[in-house]
Amino acid sequence: EDKVVQSPLSLVVHEGDTVTLNCSYEVTNFRSLLWYKQEKKAPTFLFMLTSSGIEKKSGRLSSILDKKELFSILNITATQTGDSAIYLCAGRLNAGGTSYGKLTFGQGTILTVHP
Amino acid sequence: KAGVTQTPRYLIKTRGQQVTLSCSPISGHRSVSWYQQTPGQGLQFLFEYFSETQRNKGNFPGRFSGRQFSNSRSEMNVSTLELGDSALYLCASSGLATDTQYFGPGTRLTVL
């Protein structure tokens, strides 16, 4: 069964710290890995990764995928209180009809940034 | 472009009732996926519709069903509600040739 595991499950830091969130996956016929940020309601899209070793970057956030070791990391530098949220990673497999529209999510990492 | 919209935002029902939730995808998106989010189980895939056809289904009982209309709007129905159905129900839409799903704000369902 496809599985996505995130660590740590929760993290408390102070503003200005750098954090690294981990996501490992066991997804047969891997196709892509996605990161989302969920604050109050809707998860908002951050990154989609399909190729190993290519870093995606957006402001203070960056992410990279290692397809050989089956994991991804999400880095946030110079954290701010507005970064407090649940960070979710999700795997998408490529198995024909059984893969359509299905993302397999990890449990999420709850990040709390104190001023 | 307007984002994914869901109605209603909140619902309170009692056990045994049924409920219908609605989702309007981003304009031009034809795929709509539904997820259930609970504190214990996280986000779990319910089903996905594309061009009015269900293409994929998660491991949920038959009480959970859905449909999609010709304008890509989708509805999800839960019959004979149970206490355990209390959750945030999220729908997400995606365009062709992309795995990126964009989520709506969700419908918070409480079953008493």
Side-chain angles (χ1 to χ4, degrees):
Chain A
E1 189 176 317
D2 301 321
K3 197 173 176 184
V4 176
V5 177
Q6 293 185 244
S7 65
L9 293 182
S10 67
L11 191 55
V12 180
V13 300
H14 287 93
E15 272 191 321
D17 289 348
T18 293
V19 299
T20 298
L21 310 183
N22 304 293
C23 175
S24 65
Y25 60 91
E26 296 172 21
V27 176
T28 54
N29 299 310
F30 172 84
R31 176 171 154 137
S32 59
L33 188 136
L34 294 86
W35 284 95
Y36 287 87
K37 176 184 181 182
Q38 186 174 25
E39 292 177 86
K40 293 222 169 26
K41 292 283 189 232
T44 54
F45 172 72
L46 294 174
F47 300 111
M48 183 175 75
L49 304 151
T50 55
S51 301
S52 228
I54 298 176
E55 186 182 50
K56 291 278 183 92
K57 203 168 166 64
S58 176
R60 297 177 294 102
L61 277 67
S62 64
S63 183
I64 198 160
L65 177 69
D66 186 326
K67 287 170 80 170
K68 185 179 173 188
E69 300 298 329
L70 307 182
F71 79 88
S72 174
I73 59 171
L74 175 68
N75 278 319
I76 308 175
T77 59
T79 52
Q80 302 171 357
T81 54
D83 295 326
S84 295
I86 301 172
Y87 290 84
L88 297 159
C89 79
R92 169 78 189 266
L93 59 87
N94 185 18
T98 61
S99 76
Y100 291 127
K102 177 182 178 182
L103 296 177
T104 300
F105 281 87
Q107 325 92 297
T109 293
I110 302 172
L111 175 65
T112 304
V113 182
H114 288 311
Chain B
K1 257 188 190 178
V4 178
T5 58
Q6 291 186 246
T7 57
R9 296 292 305 278
Y10 302 90
L11 263 180
I12 299 175
K13 293 284 187 179
T14 55
R15 277 180 298 175
Q17 288 187 307
Q18 75 165 21
V19 66
T20 299
L21 314 181
S22 180
C23 172
S24 292
I26 291 170
S27 177
H29 285 188
R30 290 162 64 188
S31 169
V32 174
S33 297
W34 288 88
Y35 295 85
Q36 181 195 66
Q37 187 174 31
T38 58
Q41 299 296 320
L43 267 152
Q44 292 188 291
F45 174 76
L46 281 155
F47 30 64
E48 187 251 4
Y49 285 87
F50 179 85
S51 290
E52 302 178 65
T53 301
Q54 186 184 86
R55 289 199 299 188
N56 200 359
K57 191 176 190 309
N59 297 323
F60 278 82
R63 299 184 297 106
F64 292 81
S65 63
R67 59 178 177 167
Q68 186 179 36
F69 302 94
S70 58
N71 62 357
S72 295
R73 188 177 71 85
S74 178
E75 286 182 348
M76 189 191 104
N77 186 273
V78 188
S79 62
T80 320
L81 284 166
E82 300 177 0
L83 294 178
D85 297 332
S86 294
L88 180 66
Y89 290 88
L90 293 160
C91 82
S93 75
S94 62
L96 285 174
T98 176
D99 292 345
T100 303
Q101 295 185 5
Y102 297 92
F103 284 83
T107 295
R108 170 73 63 186
L109 172 65
T110 302
V111 182
L112 302 175

